[in-house]
Amino acid sequence: MPDLALPPPQVISVSELNRIARETLERNLPLLWVAGEISNFKRYDSGHCYFTLKDSQAQVDCVMFRHRAQLQGWAPRDGLQVEVRALPTLYEARGKFQLNVEVMRRAGLGALYEAFERLKAKLEQEGLFDPARKRPLPRFPRAIGVVTSPQAAALRDVLTTLRRRMPGLPVVVYPAPVQGEGAAERLAAAIALAGERRECDVLIICRGGGSIEDLWAFNEEVVARAILACSIPVVSGIGHETDFTIADFVADVRAPTPTGAAELTSPGRQELSKQLTYLAHRLLRNAVRGLESRMQRLDYLSRRLVHPGERIRNQLAELRYRATRLTGAWERMLEDCGWRLREAGLRLAARAPGVAEFHRHCTELARRLREGERRRLEAAAALLARLEAHLKHLNPRSVLERGYSITVDRQGNIVRDAAQLAVGDDLRMTFSKGWAEAEVKRKAP
């Protein structure tokens, strides 16, 4: 029977095996979202983060490199439920399956973020975020309105800042809950009430920092529509500087914090006091300078005040002086014109053409031209004669006329040696006049 044994399989190295496994994983498992709990989280000095993502039945190692980790707006830690967008891969050096994490978010916030982005895109397309729609804040408001919870620490920060910057500025508080069920509708109602009453010139919407769930009332469309419809400028001071809500994008001005919103809407007492003092000093200085300038001008005008007769004498002397200058200038101008006329005449005479001399010059040039042409023709004729003599010497007909002949074989080759011939070969001999054919009968060595 023939040998049906299969050939042995190809032997590969461990590194090649791991490389093939990694490529197979990355080719068949694209980027995907994975949910789990963080454990063994470590951030090294290089900025890379290593941790384990686990659930009740399994776990997987994860790595988040520095250029991805530094984009996180919050600090991951053990025990947090998260969702990661990652690429399944294999660490070839150790043959370890792991997830290469690109984005991490807290578990359960994915729907909120998606709703936030959808509403943001919708309102932006409608033009609610257009900078051209934003209204400037009044520099000196007569009253400031605040929409927030009466128990919020943000209200105390705003009132403290307003009391420090401008103690006499009235503040109208429109109470509304800032989180929880129904908070968005009550916030919108408070904003609408402030716009209807017009008790203040600018409206602050504020609350302290918190998670995205805590700030979600300010991400509702009803609040954004209320801010848009409000008849007075709106300043948002919601959360910390890194927190962004839909209300921040729709408001006329966004402040990083509630305290910042109070500072943006109120003039500073100390700055105004310094400015008033400076303006008062400028006003006093300008008044003194104006008086001094007018006193100096009065002295100057008093010096110019002279008797009418003296003024007439001065004017007559001025007229005589100007008449003398006019007469002298006229005489100098006439003399200068005379000199220029004479100079032009001399230059014209010097540049007048000499016709006789020009005719003689042209005649001489014509003679020289004819002489040069004759010599050139004689030289060309002599050269032509020499070349003709050379051609005659090289002409094979001249050799044939002296009794020589040209012998060629059957192929047309010129015969120069008897060794080229064999007895019986046909030859053709060309003479000075005519030609003849011959046959070789005998040859000498």
Side-chain angles (χ1 to χ4, degrees):
M1 290 181 63
D3 187 6
L4 299 180
L6 296 175
Q10 181 184 1
V11 178
I12 62 174
S13 63
V14 175
S15 58
E16 291 176 346
L17 174 64
N18 288 351
R19 178 182 58 80
I20 294 171
R22 179 184 62 79
E23 293 176 352
T24 303
L25 276 173
E26 295 178 355
R27 184 167 56 249
N28 292 279
L29 290 178
L31 276 172
L32 44 82
W33 284 95
V34 182
E37 177 186 338
I38 296 177
S39 66
N40 299 323
F41 183 86
K42 293 180 181 179
R43 185 189 298 270
Y44 288 87
D45 295 337
S46 61
H48 307 320
C49 301
Y50 296 89
F51 59 94
T52 300
L53 198 64
K54 65 179 182 178
D55 57 17
S56 60
Q57 297 179 350
Q59 66 180 25
V60 63
D61 291 332
C62 302
V63 58
M64 192 174 192
F65 293 107
R66 180 180 60 187
H67 65 284
R68 302 288 186 182
Q70 64 187 4
L71 300 178
Q72 290 291 121
W74 53 281
R77 65 179 185 273
D78 291 347
L80 285 182
Q81 293 289 334
V82 296
E83 296 171 354
V84 298
R85 189 177 69 176
L87 177 68
T89 185
L90 190 78
Y91 181 43
E92 294 184 30
R94 301 185 62 183
K96 183 177 68 173
F97 176 75
Q98 65 181 17
L99 297 181
N100 190 345
V101 179
E102 294 190 355
V103 178
M104 181 189 302
R105 66 189 183 193
R106 297 182 181 92
L109 299 183
L112 292 179
Y113 280 120
E114 292 175 2
F116 175 84
E117 292 297 334
R118 283 198 304 270
L119 180 59
K120 179 182 175 185
K122 173 186 174 183
L123 298 182
E124 186 174 11
Q125 187 175 6
E126 294 181 14
L128 271 68
F129 305 161
D130 187 3
R133 187 195 59 78
K134 308 289 186 177
R135 294 164 291 189
L137 302 182
R139 186 176 181 186
F140 299 104
R142 292 169 298 177
I144 295 178
V146 182
V147 176
T148 190
S149 171
Q151 292 79 28
L155 178 60
R156 293 193 295 272
D157 295 340
V158 169
L159 295 178
T160 301
T161 303
L162 294 177
R163 189 181 304 112
R164 171 175 53 83
R165 292 177 61 82
M166 187 58 65
L169 186 62
V171 179
V172 181
V173 179
Y174 300 92
V178 293
Q179 70 182 70
E181 185 177 356
E185 288 74 13
R186 297 181 64 180
L187 282 170
I191 296 170
L193 179 63
E196 291 173 2
R197 291 184 177 180
R198 300 187 64 87
E199 300 169 318
C200 50
D201 296 330
V202 62
L203 184 65
I204 298 175
I205 304 174
C206 64
R207 72 146 289 158
S211 64
I212 188 172
E213 300 98 325
D214 298 336
L215 303 178
W216 192 251
F218 298 91
N219 288 323
E220 295 286 355
E221 184 174 0
V222 64
V223 176
R225 301 289 182 186
I227 294 174
L228 178 67
C230 187
S231 59
I232 58 177
V234 177
V235 178
S236 65
I238 301 167
H240 302 299
E241 187 171 359
T242 57
D243 296 326
F244 282 90
T245 64
I246 298 295
D248 293 326
F249 295 110
V250 182
D252 297 289
V253 177
R254 175 190 178 266
T257 59
T259 302
E263 292 178 350
L264 286 175
T265 55
S266 62
R269 179 181 57 179
Q270 295 181 354
E271 291 80 1
L272 289 177
S273 177
K274 291 179 182 178
Q275 188 174 7
L276 286 175
T277 303
Y278 170 72
L279 292 176
H281 289 165
R282 281 190 61 186
L283 181 61
L284 178 61
R285 185 166 59 250
N286 290 338
V288 172
R289 287 180 179 175
L291 290 175
E292 292 174 349
S293 175
R294 284 165 175 76
M295 289 188 294
Q296 188 175 3
R297 181 171 178 79
L298 182 62
D299 293 338
Y300 172 71
L301 292 176
S302 65
R303 288 195 301 269
R304 292 184 60 189
L305 188 62
V306 295
H307 194 275
E310 182 67 23
R311 177 171 295 179
I312 292 174
R313 286 191 294 272
N314 292 337
Q315 291 178 350
L316 288 174
E318 179 70 17
L319 286 175
R320 286 192 294 271
Y321 170 70
R322 291 185 180 275
T324 302
R325 287 188 62 188
L326 181 61
T327 303
W330 180 255
E331 291 175 352
R332 286 193 299 272
M333 184 183 69
L334 290 177
E335 183 178 359
D336 184 59
C337 290
W339 277 106
R340 286 194 293 175
L341 184 60
R342 286 191 291 274
E343 181 182 1
L346 293 175
R347 293 174 63 186
L348 183 61
R351 292 179 177 271
V355 177
E357 181 65 26
F358 183 71
H359 182 266
R360 286 193 297 274
H361 181 65
C362 290
T363 303
E364 177 63 20
L365 290 178
R367 185 192 65 78
R368 291 173 62 187
L369 181 60
R370 288 192 297 273
E371 182 66 22
E373 187 65 24
R374 183 185 61 78
R375 291 179 180 177
R376 186 173 180 181
L377 288 175
E378 290 176 355
L383 177 61
L384 184 60
R386 288 197 302 274
L387 293 176
E388 186 177 5
H390 285 307
L391 284 175
K392 286 181 179 180
H393 287 303
L394 297 175
N395 190 358
R397 294 289 181 184
S398 300
V399 179
L400 296 177
E401 288 178 357
R402 293 201 297 272
Y404 295 96
S405 65
I406 300 175
T407 303
V408 297
D409 57 14
R410 188 178 301 169
Q411 286 77 26
N413 300 321
I414 296 176
V415 179
R416 294 182 177 83
D417 190 352
Q420 296 179 236
L421 303 175
V423 177
D425 288 347
D426 293 329
L427 302 177
R428 181 171 179 165
M429 294 176 290
T430 302
F431 308 100
S432 175
K433 294 180 181 180
W435 54 275
E437 290 186 351
E439 182 182 352
V440 178
K441 299 295 185 179
R442 184 168 58 89
K443 69 172 185 175

